[in-house]
Amino acid sequence: MTQVNHQFRLAARPVGMPKRTDWSYVEEPLRQPGTDEVLVKTLYLSLDPAMRGWMNEGKSYIAPVEIGAVMRAGGVGKVIASGHPGFKEGDEVYGTLGIQEYAVVPGKTLTKVDSKLAPLPVYLGTLGMPGMTAYFGLLEVGKPKAGDTVVVSGAAGAVGTVVGQIARIKGCRVVGIAGGQEKCDYVVRELGFDAAIDYKSQDVKKALREHCPEGINVYFDNVGGDILDAALARLARGARIVICGAISQYNATSAVKGPSNYMSLLVNRASMTGMVVFDYADRYAEAMREMAGWLAAGKLKTREDIVTGIETFPETLLKLFKGENLGKLVLKVT
Ligand SMILES: NC(=O)c1ccc[n+]([C@@H]2O[C@H](COP(=O)([O-])OP(=O)(O)OC[C@H]3O[C@@H](n4cnc5c(N)ncnc54)[C@H](OP(=O)(O)O)[C@@H]3O)[C@@H](O)[C@H]2O)c1
């Protein structure tokens, strides 16, 4: 009997928040891998804010997903069959598998992972792309020094939780900004942040004045918009702003809201630098070793928010934009 592969393919370029009808949920017969290809059964898929950008046309740091193509996504899975000498049946792998139950991909695009060292979903979060983003964005671009005040927005999410914890490991004071009391309590009580600001119920500018009396040395920005402006208003001299993301703007139907307080960069001799994690790909192994060590030593905690059922993909993705995820949002395929 022919095995069937269920997939989400991009059907339309969304305007504003994506809708279910922006994808088509289809099935196609499974094909066997050719030379140097590997057939992977997808177990967990990474749902990322960046997916919203990949659905748009136009120049970016990566090509858009074409209309009709399987929706791009990172995932972890098990090798079912291999035409590549480096992989065999049963191997656990990470790769760009797409929103589908099975993927046939070139073996050279896969990385082996090991569920004995960490549960598979962790390879999509702290030991995966978001963790690498936090590590290189903070350490290479933010350049924190012990005693610095580090502020991170999107603090209870996949990237933010790791940024705050690494900053603590490096001896910094850490202030998180997140939506809602539960998330603020989580980053302070569970992750050891020094303080958290609930941007949904507090005046962020005022709260930053209280929590950062000497100013902000490093601001790691995941959200953009008004929160970036509030942080700009509180910079210390020589501050570094890491532009990692701007999720508050991803579904905007009018022009993206840029910072109006940018003259603060001049006054404070500060810098604002964009970063893309893929630029550090040749150093992921180095970061993974160090992060795995922190995990094993209990210095770094990881949390995944796992939703089951590939068929829920369009609605589950929206949790990111509604702030309904705590920790790394992962889709368990079956
Ligand atoms: N540059 C890179 O290479 C790179 C790589 C990975 C990720 N990123 C970026 O990093 C950021 C975080 O990604 P992630 O994977 O860790 O996602 P995440 O933080 O786990 O999830 C997204 C969170 O964003 C917050 N959010 C949503 N809409 C918001 C709004 N209008 N204003 C303020 N906050 C809002 C929500 O938290 P609240 O409940 O707190 O609002 C939501 O839970 C994103 O901007 C992403 O694009 C960049």
Side-chain angles (χ1 to χ4, degrees), residues 53-54 56-64 276:
W54 301 340
N56 292 340
E57 222 158 12
K59 186 176 175 294
S60 187
Y61 61 93
I62 192 171
V276 173

Side-chain angles (χ1 to χ4, degrees), residues 38 40 75-79 87 91-95 97 110-113 120:
V38 179
V40 181
V76 284
K78 218 165 222 176
V79 172
F87 296 91
D91 281 348
E92 296 168 321
V93 291
Y94 168 85
L97 303 181
L110 294 172
T111 311
K112 285 188 192 168
V113 297
L120 288 178

Side-chain angles (χ1 to χ4, degrees), residues 47-50 129-130 133 154 157-160 177-179 183 199-200 222-223 227 243-248 250 275-278 319-325 327-329:
L47 300 194
D48 294 284
M129 187 274 285
T133 305
V159 175
I177 304 176
K183 291 188 177 186
Y199 75 89
K200 289 187 174 163
N222 284 317
V223 305
I227 294 177
I243 299 292
C244 173
I247 194 167
S248 72
Y250 292 174
M275 72 84 57
V276 173
V277 64
F278 305 131
K319 282 166 77 84
L320 293 167
F321 305 110
K322 296 178 180 169
E324 289 173 359
N325 63 305
K328 170 66 198 158
L329 185 62

Side-chain angles (χ1 to χ4, degrees), residues 293-309:
W294 289 333
L295 277 173
K299 291 182 178 171
L300 192 57
K301 290 185 185 166
T302 161
R303 176 158 169 166
E304 295 76 38
D305 194 333
I306 300 177
V307 178
T308 303

